[in-house]
Amino acid sequence: MIVRRIKCLRSLGIRYNSSHYVTTPIFYVNAAPHIGHLYSAVIADAHCRYQRIRNPEKNVRLCTGTDEHGTKIQQAASLHGIPVAKYCDDISERYREVFKSAHILPDDFIRTTEERHKRAVAHFWRTLHSRGHIYSAAYSGWYCVSDETFLTDSQLRLDEASGTRYSLESGHPVEWTEETNYMFRLSQFQDDVRHWVKQEARIRPAKFEKILLDTLSEPLPDVSVSRPSNRVHWAIPVPDDDSQTVYVWLDALVNYLSSVGYPNEGYSAHWPPAQQVIGKDILKFHGIYWPAFLMAAGLEPPGQLHVHSHWTVDGQKMSKSKHNVVDPVQAARQYTMEGLRYFLLREGVAHSDGNYSHVKAQRILNSELADTLGNLLSRACAPSLNPGQIYPSSDAEHLADLLRTLDAAKRLQESLLQLSERCASHYESNHFHLVADTAMATLHAANNFFESSKPWTLKAGATGSNQPRLETIIAMTMDALRLCGIVLQPIIPQLATRLLDKLSVPTAQRGWHYLAESFATEPVNLGGSRQLDGQTSALLFQRILEEKPAKEEQKTQPAKRSKSKKRERRETMS
Ligand code: MSP
């Protein structure tokens, strides 16, 4: 039956694949990770975490890693006076550590200096060559070392005073270069790539599809895919020609294949990637070169490119020369890694650049994570209201009465009823800011409900004390917290886990499916009243109290002792 269905889907051009393979770009090791790099990885991680809780039957696989070849890396290592291999090891390890501390959980971390990758590149090259897509030619042009690419005159700006030409796109200088290269027949794939780009939801957001289609409206030139080994020696040699090394972008793109075991049998179980997350600066490589390379090799191009915009800092492009590069480790000392994840996904939108500012981060984290989410949990767990420290069951009669008589209860119910569908649709498009928005709106409704229902007037000793009604109010509030905790797992995995732990929600009941079970649909709780977890603090996220630190201290200095103590405390909470 299933086989017949798969055949039927295939006949419609729909490929059945239970694998959901997601990739981040692999990161250059010429400098330490900054928040822009972390952002690419956090998007992919949150996407995968959502897929896992939404579709437990899918085989979700996340790959990230480091891009370690090329002139840029050679130069960075020699600038630091470190052997290039050791330099790569050190920076690659820093990426691994930052991702680990940000709770990014890749299934594979690939390095382009690994043997498995070199084998994959050699095989891929031979495939392109044997299929007639690579030829040798003399090549001359303006080469941008920093971008590892040749540029045409229209892509350059001439500085009259110095006579130096610069890349219009990246601002880096170029130099005239003449050499013999291997060329890839990109020009032959123009129509196929255009067709691929135009498929529904192929390139997201749509503005990046338009950028690609504009590029594709001009004839595509063939592209140089090798460099002379005497100029670029820190690279993979071209098979059967030691005088040339493989162009770093061809080398780098093949990482996505190496990670799943290409060319060994079995790699196709994961191929093609369902989604590749990239920043806008590497759109051309992933939206034109990559599908063309794959088609030329007889392989299927990726299902979707999710393109994100960039982070600026206080309105300025991040750059070493401006001394405004934000180190995620430093930032996490201020906000915790969970806070930083939340800020990046809450404030970043894919279609336009986001501005990173301390004031904004502090405001958002305090008002949303500390006040709206954290305070509500503390209030529902307060020993004065909840001396038994339970997640109670609601009483059917009081529940019905609250829903009938209290507008705020009705509004909370409506919000919970819409939560699953709305958030699923936002997650499907990687609109994490809208997921956070929706969850916060629900939590606002829950805070309003809690305030309006005045539970403190019902507690033992108060006039009008009424235990079943009090427990019903707490149960409804905890239902809202539980559902928002489930929804927020992909964005703030550690905080959401702590919230769900505190509420004693069994691990098996944290999947998307459980959003359908709350007072909003059923008058009873899952499994009845249960004890809260006494080991987990009800204090979820501490307010960020520090004044804005002086710029230099924020970016380069180690934290002062008294502050670092506070920070340590917060760190242990996330
Ligand atoms: N090595 C290449 C990618 C090869 S993939 C086959 C590369 N590396 S990178 O380290 O320069 O960039 C990696 C990712 O970080 C890219 O997605 C890039 O867009 C992203 N970011 C770099 N600076 C950024 C910001 N300021 N803001 C957001 N993302 C940014 O390119």
Side-chain angles (χ1 to χ4, degrees):
M1 172 73 179
I2 290 177
V3 173
R4 210 174 322 130
R5 192 148 165 251
I6 294 171
K7 277 189 183 158
C8 169
L9 291 172
R10 280 192 180 142
S11 70
L12 292 169
I14 298 166
R15 205 165 165 279
Y16 179 82
N17 190 345
S18 76
S19 163
H20 189 86
Y21 177 33
V22 177
T23 65
T24 75
I26 48 170
F27 301 89
Y28 283 133
V29 291
N30 62 331
H34 61 55
I35 53 153
H37 303 130
L38 180 66
Y39 185 51
S40 283
V42 157
I43 290 175
D45 179 71
H47 171 86
C48 287
R49 284 176 182 272
Y50 164 71
Q51 291 293 334
R52 288 191 178 111
I53 57 171
R54 179 72 210 241
N55 307 303
E57 75 288 354
K58 263 194 197 171
N59 181 7
V60 179
R61 183 178 200 282
L62 173 63
C63 175
T64 188
T66 43
D67 188 355
E68 306 188 6
H69 288 131
T71 332
K72 261 208 280 216
I73 317 292
Q74 264 170 232
Q75 288 174 346
S78 82
L79 201 73
H80 287 83
I82 302 175
V84 64
K86 161 95 176 79
Y87 181 78
C88 291
D89 287 348
D90 292 350
I91 305 268
S92 181
E93 191 51 33
R94 285 176 75 173
Y95 271 97
R96 245 186 233 271
E97 278 167 12
V98 166
F99 291 167
K100 192 169 163 212
S101 70
H103 312 121
I104 292 161
L105 293 180
D107 297 279
D108 187 19
F109 187 101
I110 190 157
R111 300 179 56 185
T112 54
T113 45
E114 285 176 71
E115 283 309 315
R116 59 171 171 154
H117 174 68
K118 291 179 188 168
R119 274 196 303 276
V121 170
H123 187 89
F124 193 78
W125 179 282
R126 287 201 168 99
T127 308
L128 295 184
H129 197 259
S130 65
R131 290 173 150 240
H133 299 300
I134 286 182
Y135 61 96
S136 171
Y139 196 87
S140 58
W142 293 105
Y143 191 70
C144 180
V145 170
S146 185
D147 301 349
E148 300 281 16
T149 186
F150 280 99
L151 296 171
T152 59
D153 283 342
S154 65
Q155 294 171 308
L156 300 174
R157 170 181 71 80
L158 172 66
D159 177 44
E160 302 281 356
S162 63
T164 310
R165 286 172 171 76
Y166 294 89
S167 156
L168 269 179
E169 200 179 318
S170 71
H172 294 123
V174 296
E175 53 197 53
W176 184 255
T177 308
E178 293 178 17
E179 54 195 32
T180 296
N181 284 171
Y182 286 102
M183 305 292 293
F184 170 74
R185 296 186 198 282
L186 183 63
S187 51
Q188 292 193 345
F189 291 89
Q190 177 125 14
D191 291 342
D192 289 336
V193 171
R194 191 189 293 114
H195 178 76
W196 174 80
V197 166
K198 283 168 88 168
Q199 299 307 299
E200 174 72 17
R202 178 75 75 209
I203 314 288
R204 281 285 181 260
K207 87 178 236 197
F208 296 109
E209 172 186 336
K210 186 168 178 319
I211 292 174
L212 286 177
L213 291 176
D214 282 351
T215 308
L216 287 160
S217 65
E218 301 289 326
L220 285 180
D222 288 350
V223 54
S224 150
V225 284
S226 74
R227 301 288 180 264
S229 325
N230 56 11
R231 187 160 67 80
V232 186
H233 63 82
W234 185 245
I236 298 175
V238 164
D240 312 316
D241 183 355
D242 279 355
S243 72
Q244 296 278 317
T245 52
V246 176
Y247 172 45
V248 284
W249 266 102
L250 175 55
D251 162 353
L253 288 162
V254 171
N255 93 82
Y256 303 129
L257 279 162
S258 327
S259 169
V260 291
Y262 173 90
N264 301 334
E265 219 178 292
Y267 80 89
S268 55
H270 293 288
W271 200 260
Q275 181 167 124
Q276 302 206 270
V277 175
I278 57 165
K280 64 178 185 178
D281 53 324
I282 52 177
L283 176 63
K284 176 181 74 182
F285 300 103
H286 286 81
I288 294 179
Y289 292 10
W290 181 223
F293 289 155
L294 287 169
M295 289 171 194
L299 295 166
E300 205 171 328
Q304 184 176 75
L305 293 185
H306 173 81
V307 190
H308 66 77
S309 297
H310 277 189
W311 283 96
T312 56
V313 174
D314 295 325
Q316 303 240 341
K317 193 174 166 176
M318 248 192 289
S319 83
K320 270 195 243 164
S321 58
K322 287 190 191 126
H323 303 288
N324 66 349
V325 175
V326 181
D327 170 358
V329 178
Q330 290 272 352
R333 290 208 182 105
Q334 244 172 336
Y335 311 123
T336 74
M337 262 302 178
E338 288 288 284
L340 183 59
R341 266 184 85 113
Y342 186 76
F343 176 71
L344 292 176
L345 294 175
R346 164 59 155 152
E347 189 58 22
V349 291
H351 57 270
S352 59
D353 288 351
N355 188 34
Y356 182 93
S357 92
H358 174 75
V359 176
K360 212 184 324 176
Q362 186 180 25
R363 183 171 45 74
I364 289 178
L365 296 177
N366 281 345
S367 90
E368 300 189 359
L369 293 189
D371 298 348
T372 309
L373 173 63
N375 270 355
L376 188 62
L377 179 69
S378 303
R379 293 181 85 184
C381 298
S384 58
L385 272 190
N386 192 344
Q389 291 295 284
I390 54 166
Y391 184 154
S393 334
S394 42
D395 172 274
E397 225 169 87
H398 282 288
L399 175 61
D401 186 59
L402 283 160
L403 289 172
R404 199 178 54 246
T405 56
L406 204 62
D407 274 355
K410 194 80 202 131
R411 280 198 298 272
L412 176 58
Q413 184 187 37
E414 278 159 16
S415 193
L416 288 179
L417 286 174
Q418 293 166 356
L419 192 67
S420 167
E421 201 180 318
R422 284 198 177 165
C423 290
S425 122
H426 298 323
Y427 269 129
E428 294 297 340
S429 351
N430 285 356
H431 287 150
F432 305 106
H433 62 295
L434 295 180
V435 175
D437 231 23
T438 310
M440 285 303 140
T442 299
L443 289 167
H444 279 304
N447 274 290
N448 274 340
F449 160 71
F450 194 81
E451 249 341 271
S452 322
S453 59
K454 300 188 175 60
W456 52 89
T457 62
L458 303 168
K459 65 185 183 185
T463 41
S465 70
N466 182 341
Q467 192 62 16
R469 192 172 179 89
L470 172 61
E471 289 189 358
T472 304
I473 293 168
I474 295 177
M476 291 166 75
T477 307
M478 288 190 172
D479 274 5
L481 284 162
R482 174 169 55 84
L483 266 51
C484 289
I486 292 176
V487 157
L488 289 172
Q489 290 174 99
I491 298 178
I492 39 172
Q494 297 286 306
L495 280 181
T497 298
R498 286 236 328 277
L499 167 63
L500 297 170
D501 283 352
K502 179 74 208 167
L503 298 175
S504 298
V505 179
T507 316
Q509 292 178 9
R510 297 178 184 190
W512 203 261
H513 170 72
Y514 283 88
L515 293 178
E517 309 206 6
S518 72
F519 79 83
T521 45
E522 290 281 335
V524 283
N525 276 324
L526 300 172
S529 161
R530 59 176 99 125
Q531 205 63 41
L532 295 178
D533 176 8
Q535 303 296 312
T536 307
S537 163
L539 190 59
L540 211 54
F541 191 87
Q542 221 170 50
R543 286 180 71 79
I544 294 155
L545 298 174
E546 290 101 320
E547 289 301 304
K548 181 175 182 174
K551 268 198 171 156
E552 279 317 295
E553 190 209 3
Q554 184 187 359
K555 278 147 205 162
T556 56
Q557 303 260 308
K560 284 194 189 130
R561 226 181 121 65
S562 61
K563 277 184 183 164
S564 75
K565 276 213 164 147
K566 266 190 225 159
R567 286 169 184 162
E568 263 167 35
R569 241 180 295 135
R570 250 210 318 276
E571 196 60 29
T572 57
M573 297 176 59
S574 69

